[in-house]
Each structure stands twice: as structure tokens, then as C-alpha cells.
Amino acid sequence: MKHFLTLKDYSKDEILEILELARKIKIETKNKIFKDYLPKQTLAMIFEKSSTRTRVSFETGIYQLGGIGLFLSSNDIQLGRGEPMSDTSSVISRMVDMAMIRTTAQANIEEFAKYSKVPVINGLSDEYHPVQLMADYLTIQECNKDENLIVAYIGDGNNLAHSWLNLCAKIGFELRIATPIGYEVNQDILKEALNDAKVSGAKISIYNDPKLAVKGASVVTTDTWVSMGQEDEKEKRIKDFTGYIVDNTMMQEAQNDAIFLHCLPAYRGYEVSAEVLESKASKIFDEAENRLHAQKGIMVWLDSKRND
Ligand code: CP
Ligand code: NVA
């Protein structure tokens, strides 16, 4: 049995295999062909943080695959009143066929997976957001940007930045990350990615000047400066991220036909300007839709590995 906890645990071949499956299922979905890949299966969806895309894409996805999703907000289940993650997992995983969890520390997801009898999917933690990156790479493939790919990630060294590092290190493209001083990526995650990059041929560079990172990039991406749980730091962060907005001037440094990605939700006028978000280069809504398709691929793939 396999879990989907970080992209570090996946090989390039596995990532590409899941995305191939996602593309196949996407074509079927677009043609309104809904095959029962996961008949009568139940997906538990545990949320300790808010969500629009993750909730809707997983719930719709499992339904379209022939199963059903259970939305379990930590406000409503005993987890929120202190029932241990281990007991929650032991109980839920005896009743459902798969579980998705959005939580704070990655260690919580690992704890849940340790006690789970069914595959567990990371729906975002403070450290990683692997399902988002699967949708992002699917979007990159669809825009024919996967050859000679140069991604510039501008902003906070957060869960998104870490999952970009994981993906890049496995696939083998060029990734440039620009963060303000004090907001760098986790150095252990960077070190591990640099190690994997030796095998894949990935090129990873770290900058404090966003313009340098964007120069000649084929994909430009960013994320909120204030992640869930950091609301108290909002004022300070807005000050510290001065100069990091992805606006038209910044995009001009990239390749002429570069695309812009954002996991959303986006905050116009902060990490990205309204004009860039709404420009032709912006693929944000294809990217959001691809959450549905990529995750259907992940769920079907995990189901196929159940007895491994
Ligand atoms: N990108 C993303 O995960 O969005 P939600 O927080 O709305 O799920
Ligand atoms: N970095 C953001 C991503 C939201 C999808 C957060 O963790 O809040």
C-alpha cells in the first residue's frame, strides 16, 4: 500500500505515470464519461484548515469515480477536542477506503498514515502541498512548457516552495526560488532536493532578488505572503515582501510566452497584480480545474497499489 504524503517519496516515473492516468481520466470527464474506477469507495476528507479547491476537487473527484466523500471538519469531529491523531486514524481507516487530510504539521499526517489501514493523501500541511504540484505540472504539460522548463517561484519559502523543490528534484527541470531575507525555504528540504537533483539533473538556484530569478523563466509562480496560521504576522510580512509582487514589470523579465501560475487563493495587489492574474499568460483557472483531474489520477493510482 502507498500513501501520497510528499513528492519526495515518489520517483519521476511514478509522478509521470499518475499524470498520464490523470490526463486519460480528464479526457473521459470532459466527454462526460464517468467510469466507476472506485465503485462504492468512501474517501474521508479531514480538514484542520479552510479550503475551497481541495474540498471541492476531492469531493467531486471521488463522486465521479463512483465513490463518496465525507467532509470532516476538525471543528466537528472529536479530533478537534483532543482525540489523538492515532486513534482518529485507527477508527476512520477501518470504515473508509481512502483518507485525505489537511492539517498543520506534516508530522500529523505521518502519524495518521502510520496508523491507517488505507491510503492517505496529504491535502496540505505547513511543510508541503504535493497534490497542488501535481495539478501545476499537469498544467505545465498541457501548455507544452515541460521541455526546457525554467520555473521562477517568487515569494515565501513555504509549503508551496517546498513542494516545488520536491517536484523539480524528481523531474529534473530548472527551479529558481526568490525569497526575502528571513523567509528562505527550509534548509533540510533544500539539501535533500539538491541531493536528488544530482540524479535527475535538476538545476536549483536560490535568490534574494526576484527580478534575477524571473529572467528568462518559462513559468512564473507565486503564493500568498500570509499562509493559513500566519495571520498574526500579516502586517510585518506585507512590509518584508516589498518588491516581491509579480506584476507586468516583473513578467517582462520572463520569456515572451511565459505562463503564470498561482495555487490560489490570490491576493491582488500583494503577491500578484490584478493585471497579471487576468492576463493571457495566467493559467490559474486551468490550474485550479486540474486539481480535480490530477487528484482523480492520484486516487485511482493509489487504489491500484493497495496490495503492493
Ligand atoms: N490551492 C488550494 O489548496 O486551495 P484551497 O485552500 O482552497 O483548497
Ligand atoms: N501557502 C498557502 C497555500 C494555500 C493553498 C497556505 O498554506 O495557506
Side-chain angles (χ1 to χ4, degrees):
M1 184 177 77
K2 281 274 259 182
H3 299 299
F4 195 85
L5 307 187
T6 78
L7 291 171
K8 277 188 307 193
D9 315 327
Y10 277 75
S11 68
K12 175 176 182 173
D13 286 350
E14 286 172 328
I15 293 169
L16 296 180
E17 190 184 322
I18 294 170
L19 291 176
E20 202 177 309
L21 189 56
R23 276 197 302 277
K24 177 181 154 230
I25 299 174
K26 179 172 180 176
I27 293 168
E28 292 168 359
T29 305
K30 290 293 201 189
N31 289 310
K32 301 270 175 237
I33 299 165
F34 300 106
K35 292 192 188 153
D36 279 356
Y37 287 97
L38 306 178
K40 290 263 185 304
Q41 290 203 18
T42 305
L43 173 73
M45 308 187 304
I46 302 165
F47 284 91
E48 291 198 282
K49 294 185 183 189
S50 309
S51 167
T52 299
R53 280 141 290 268
T54 305
R55 177 181 177 181
V56 175
S57 53
F58 270 110
E59 196 160 340
T60 306
I62 187 71
Y63 175 68
Q64 291 178 351
L65 294 170
I68 191 164
L70 284 184
F71 173 67
L72 303 168
S73 158
S74 60
N75 295 330
D76 303 326
I77 62 173
Q78 301 286 10
L79 183 65
R81 295 182 62 246
E83 184 166 15
M85 202 50 104
S86 52
D87 290 354
T88 305
S89 172
S90 298
V91 171
I92 290 179
S93 70
R94 281 170 179 248
M95 301 182 193
V96 304
D97 303 285
M98 220 174 268
M100 182 245 96
I101 175 162
R102 167 170 285 197
T103 182
T104 49
Q106 179 75 10
N108 294 342
I109 301 185
E110 276 156 22
E111 175 85 349
F112 191 94
K114 186 174 157 196
Y115 289 92
S116 176
K117 292 181 183 309
V118 298
V120 177
I121 302 171
N122 179 356
L124 180 145
S125 67
D126 289 344
E127 289 93 333
Y128 301 106
H129 197 1
V131 289
Q132 178 68 52
L133 267 289
M134 293 297 277
D136 290 6
Y137 199 67
L138 179 58
T139 312
I140 286 170
Q141 288 177 322
E142 289 175 347
C143 293
N144 297 315
K145 294 286 181 197
D146 47 331
E147 292 289 319
N148 305 316
L149 175 59
I150 306 173
V151 177
Y153 174 95
I154 307 303
D156 191 17
N158 63 11
N159 42 12
L160 259 291
H162 295 154
S163 284
W164 272 109
L165 278 170
N166 294 159
L167 180 76
C168 150
K170 287 302 168 87
I171 302 285
F173 55 84
E174 181 171 351
L175 175 65
R176 303 159 180 181
I177 296 184
T179 68
I181 291 166
Y183 295 93
E184 289 83 4
V185 295
N186 176 299
Q187 294 305 296
D188 291 334
I189 296 173
L190 174 61
K191 222 181 277 166
E192 207 171 335
L194 287 169
N195 249 338
D196 284 343
K198 285 184 202 145
V199 179
S200 68
K203 192 173 167 216
I204 297 170
S205 331
I206 304 294
Y207 298 79
N208 289 123
D209 180 345
K211 281 228 168 86
L212 279 182
V214 170
K215 206 164 192 54
S218 50
V219 174
V220 180
T221 187
T222 182
D223 184 23
T224 180
W225 296 339
V226 187
S227 283
M228 290 180 275
Q230 297 173 336
E231 290 76 8
D232 290 351
E233 300 169 30
K234 187 172 170 188
E235 293 308 313
K236 177 170 167 38
R237 283 176 167 265
I238 290 171
K239 242 187 256 150
D240 292 348
F241 281 82
T242 303
Y244 276 76
I245 185 170
V246 178
D247 56 11
N248 278 347
T249 315
M250 184 92 79
M251 283 302 286
Q252 266 156 23
E253 300 290 328
Q255 290 177 20
N256 283 340
D257 59 351
I259 60 167
F260 174 77
L261 298 178
H262 191 311
C263 67
L264 304 179
Y267 299 90
R268 288 165 172 77
Y270 293 94
E271 77 273 11
V272 59
S273 68
E275 59 204 13
V276 167
L277 261 191
E278 285 143 30
S279 67
K280 226 181 96 202
S282 173
K283 303 295 172 200
I284 54 169
F285 296 124
D286 292 332
E287 181 187 4
E289 180 191 325
N290 277 337
R291 293 291 303 277
L292 171 69
H293 308 300
Q295 290 160 194
K296 284 167 82 176
I298 293 168
M299 288 190 279
V300 173
W301 190 87
L302 286 174
D303 183 60
S304 74
K305 303 288 171 197
R306 221 175 258 283
N307 300 317
D308 288 5

